Amino acid sequence: MKSVCVYCGSSAGERPEYLDEARRFGRLLAERGIRLVYGGASVGLMGAVADAALAAGGEVIGVIPHALVAKEIAHSGLTELRVTASMHERKARMAELADGFVALPGGIGTFEELFEAWTWAQLGIHHKPCALLNVAGYYDRLVAFLEHAAGEGFMRRLHRSMLLVARQPEELLEVFAAYRPPEVETWVRADET
C-alpha cells in the first residue's frame, strides 16, 4: 500500500484519545512509507494527522475545495496542497490518489466521504479497502447499526463485511494488507424482490 486516504474531523472532539490516535496514525503512516491523502485542513484531527505524518518525515497531500480554503484553514506546510473547484472533484481526486480509505472520528463530512468510498467498492468502481479506525469505541454504535441494517435485509452481509473495523492503527494496516475484495456478480437474487 503506497497511500491511504484519511477522513476525519476538522475539530478535535471531546476526548484526548481522538487527537492522540490521529497523531499516532499519522506517524505510523510516515514510518511505514505510506503517503497520507486527506482533506487539507490545518485544524482538528485533520491537522493533527497531517502534522504528525510530516513531523515523522512522511509525504502528505491535502485536497481541499476552494470554498473551504478559508473555512477549514488550509494547511500551508504540506508536501502538496491541491485546491479543487468542488467537493465532488475533491472526493474524486482523493479516491484517485489513495490505495485505501480510513475514517477516524469525525462528523457528517467524515461519514459521507467514507460511505461514498465504501459504496464505490460495493459497486465495483474500485477494489480498495475501506475502514473505520474505532478510536475509544467512537464507532461502536455505527457498527451495531450496520449489523442491524444487514440483519433487517437492507444490506447484504457480504457488503457489510467490506467495511473493515480496527481499534488500533497497527491492526488497521494489517487488516488492509490482508484485504481481498469479494467477488460480487449480482446485487439482488430473484427471491429477494
Side-chain angles (χ1 to χ4, degrees), residues 3-102:
S3 62
V4 169
C5 178
V6 173
Y7 305 122
C8 58
S10 58
S11 65
E14 296 295 325
R15 298 175 69 166
E17 296 97 310
Y18 301 146
L19 273 173
D20 293 344
E21 290 302 302
R23 291 179 181 125
R24 190 159 75 102
F25 191 54
R27 277 192 306 274
L28 181 64
L29 292 175
E31 290 166 0
R32 298 221 180 153
I34 300 171
R35 177 178 60 195
L36 168 64
V37 176
Y38 85 114
S42 62
V43 295
L45 298 188
M46 293 173 76
V49 71
D51 287 341
L54 290 165
E59 181 182 355
V60 180
I61 297 178
V63 184
I64 190 167
H66 186 271
L68 294 182
V69 169
K71 286 183 182 180
E72 289 192 351
I73 311 169
H75 200 302
S76 61
L78 304 177
T79 308
E80 184 178 348
L81 180 66
R82 298 184 184 190
V83 179
T84 63
S86 68
M87 285 294 288
H88 296 293
E89 185 183 343
R90 175 199 211 181
K91 292 186 290 185
R93 183 70 46 86
M94 291 169 80
E96 290 168 6
L97 293 168
D99 298 320
F101 306 91
V102 177

Side-chain angles (χ1 to χ4, degrees), residues 1 4 20-32 34 102 104 131-135 164-178:
M1 179 158 297
V4 169
D20 293 344
E21 290 302 302
R23 291 179 181 125
R24 190 159 75 102
F25 191 54
R27 277 192 306 274
L28 181 64
L29 292 175
E31 290 166 0
R32 298 221 180 153
I34 300 171
V102 177
L104 276 65
L132 298 169
L133 184 54
N134 193 13
V135 176
L164 310 170
V165 181
R167 292 191 176 273
Q168 300 295 324
E170 297 82 3
E171 175 193 4
L172 189 141
L173 293 182
E174 289 171 18
V175 170
F176 264 24

Side-chain angles (χ1 to χ4, degrees), residues 84-177:
T84 63
S86 68
M87 285 294 288
H88 296 293
E89 185 183 343
R90 175 199 211 181
K91 292 186 290 185
R93 183 70 46 86
M94 291 169 80
E96 290 168 6
L97 293 168
D99 298 320
F101 306 91
V102 177
L104 276 65
I108 294 169
T110 300
F111 307 151
E112 185 273 333
E113 288 173 320
L114 180 72
F115 273 60
E116 184 169 47
W118 181 25
T119 300
W120 291 353
Q122 174 190 339
L123 295 172
I125 294 170
H126 68 72
H127 302 288
K128 303 171 185 180
C130 299
L132 298 169
L133 184 54
N134 193 13
V135 176
Y138 180 77
Y139 285 116
D140 285 350
R141 290 185 179 113
L142 176 60
V143 171
F145 174 74
L146 296 173
E147 292 298 328
H148 172 70
E152 292 295 315
F154 289 101
M155 179 188 314
R156 293 178 74 183
R157 294 261 177 221
L158 176 67
H159 298 145
R160 164 56 198 96
S161 72
M162 293 171 73
L163 182 63
L164 310 170
V165 181
R167 292 191 176 273
Q168 300 295 324
E170 297 82 3
E171 175 193 4
L172 189 141
L173 293 182
E174 289 171 18
V175 170
F176 264 24

